[in-house]
């Protein structure tokens, strides 16, 4: 006779999508069912599924064949912050926000969920704080292509994004060389330059610009002219969307007052292209990768990391752990305090070994 399930757990994917989410969903579901005989419920569209009480049972067949798929079979939302959920507009047309945490707690109770495994970045972990305060056990699994979550050395999704950005930069090299142009590739990275740093180094980019190091236009112009003087007639620039000029501001593409992150970045690459042409007279073009960095099948490293993270998350619940974040430290899967990691970002330190190695190879970071 099959024993009665000991736990009922929910799983959600919050924030922006990224490669590897389905690997975690698969690992959590199969580990919970096969190892522990628990019931698993997929929460649809991130926190929105809790707000609207949309959850469905997950069985092994539901998660079979999804390891290689990008995106998430559960859907996601980066606007459904339960602590500040947009519920309408006031008489001046400004959005009105409401704390729907009590509603979420009622829905969690009605489903008799013992715990929730929340897969997401810093915004998702911040949104889960209200549940933890309300007595719900939340286990976090770190996901972001920006690799900027505090407490873990790496997040799944990052390595796939690096591969996509590196491939784009590699392809840009050929047209830059053929036309003797300055070619700029703008990648994601709001406040943290990990993606630009890794893709820039992996592709052999000549200039890498990240949010942590404000750039000087004159330094970049002199570097481009120096390359030309020694017969290198093209220059490849990899720039984070959050990079900015010394004394300047970030480049904003639009404002969305209904979003937890109302300021949407984008366009700094085009701005830099205009400035370089003005200063050097060199023909300059910009390619903005945008959401292509989030798409497609995860690379093997992210499939492995997502699987390991999902398995560890279930094991933490089995051990009776509460409010933990699955992390990778010193090449070992372990865990940290969930609340301590929320509302924080891990940025590139100026003494990072990779950054120092790139400087030694005469890579320009726009500051010297």
């Amino acid at each position: 006779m099959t024993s009665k399930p000991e736990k009922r757990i929910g799983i959600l994917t919050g924030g922006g999508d990224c490669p590897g989410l389905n690997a975690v969903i698969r690992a959590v579901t199969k580990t919970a069912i096969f190892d522990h005989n628990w019931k698993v419920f997929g929460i649809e569209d991130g926190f929105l599924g809790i707000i609207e009480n949309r959850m469905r049972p997950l069985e092994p067949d539901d998660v079979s064949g999804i390891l290689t798929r990008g995106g998430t079979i559960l859907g996601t939302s980066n606007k459904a912050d339960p602590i500040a959920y947009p519920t309408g507009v006031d008489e001046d047309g400004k959005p009105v926000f409401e704390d729907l945490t009590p509603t979420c707690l009622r829905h969690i109770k009605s489903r008799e969920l013992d715990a929730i495994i929340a897969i997401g970045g810093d915004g998702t972990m911040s949104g889960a704080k209200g549940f933890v305060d309300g007595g719900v056990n939340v286990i976090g699994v770190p996901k972001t292509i920006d690799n900027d979550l505090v407490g873990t050395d790496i997040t799944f999704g990052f390595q796939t994004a690096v591969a996509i950005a590196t491939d784009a930069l590699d392809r840009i090299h050929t047209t830059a060389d053929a036309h003797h142009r300055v070619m700029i590739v703008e990648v994601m990275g709001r406040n943290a330059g990990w993606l630009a740093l890794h893709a820039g180094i992996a592709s052999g980019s000549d200039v890498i610009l990240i949010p942590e190091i404000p750039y000087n236009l004159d330094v970049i112009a002199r570097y481009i002219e120096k390359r030309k003087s020694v017969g290198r007639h093209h220059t490849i620039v990899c720039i984070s969307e959050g990079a900015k000029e010394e004394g300047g501001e970030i480049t904003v593409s639009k404002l969305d007052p209904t979003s937890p992150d109302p300021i949407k970045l984008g366009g700094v690459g085009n701005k830099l292209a205009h400035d370089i042409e003005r200063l050097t007279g060199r023909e300059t073009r910009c390619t903005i990768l945008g959401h292509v960095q989030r798409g497609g099948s995860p690379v093997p490293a992210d499939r492995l990391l997502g699987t390991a993270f999902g398995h560890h998350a279930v094991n933490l619940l089995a051990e009776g752990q509460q409010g933990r974040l699955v992390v990778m430290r010193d090449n070992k899967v372990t865990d940290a305090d969930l609340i301590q990691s929320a509302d924080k970002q891990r940025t590139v330190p100026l003494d990072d070994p990779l950054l120092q190695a790139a400087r030694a190879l005469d890579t320009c970071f726009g500051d010297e």
Side-chain angles (χ1 to χ4, degrees), residues 113-313:
L113 297 183
D114 297 292
I116 291 175
I117 293 178
I119 312 169
D122 60 309
T124 300
M125 302 311 154
S126 299
K129 282 171 32 176
F131 299 166
V132 174
D133 293 339
V136 177
N137 187 11
V138 178
I139 300 296
V141 178
K143 167 244 48 162
T144 167
I145 67 169
D146 291 340
N147 200 37
D148 62 349
L149 198 61
V150 167
T152 184
D153 294 339
I154 193 167
T155 58
F156 74 87
F158 172 67
Q159 294 176 94
T160 302
V162 169
I164 293 169
T166 300
D167 181 66
L169 284 156
D170 288 347
R171 293 172 185 273
I172 287 293
H173 266 89
T174 58
T175 188
D177 185 31
H179 291 273
H180 309 308
R181 288 174 177 161
V182 177
M183 298 294 284
I184 300 169
V185 174
E186 180 182 319
V187 302
M188 288 183 172
R190 183 184 184 88
N191 299 312
W194 294 107
L195 181 52
L197 179 65
H198 282 241
I201 293 174
S203 63
S205 293
D206 307 299
V207 181
I208 301 173
L209 304 177
I210 60 178
E212 294 85 349
I213 305 175
Y215 63 83
N216 183 300
L217 283 170
D218 290 332
V219 169
I220 297 171
R222 288 196 300 269
Y223 182 83
I224 292 170
E225 291 304 314
K226 182 184 75 171
R227 285 178 53 80
K228 182 181 178 181
S229 70
V230 295
R232 293 181 173 84
H233 296 288
H234 71 278
T235 297
I236 304 297
V237 181
C238 180
I239 184 170
S240 290
E241 63 183 356
K244 61 183 179 181
E245 189 178 355
E246 289 179 353
E249 301 292 334
I250 54 175
T251 303
V252 178
S253 63
K254 67 175 183 178
L255 298 175
D256 181 0
T258 66
S259 173
D261 289 320
I263 299 175
K264 306 300 180 184
L265 303 187
V268 66
N270 287 322
K271 177 183 180 298
L272 180 64
H274 173 78
D275 289 336
I276 287 174
E277 282 199 345
R278 174 175 55 83
L279 287 173
T280 68
R282 301 289 305 281
E283 189 175 10
T284 307
R285 297 287 186 271
C286 174
T287 298
I288 300 176
L289 293 189
H291 288 84
V292 70
Q293 296 158 94
R294 296 187 179 277
S297 181
V299 297
D302 278 333
R303 300 177 199 181
L304 294 171
L305 189 59
T307 299
F309 276 4
H311 176 257
H312 191 72

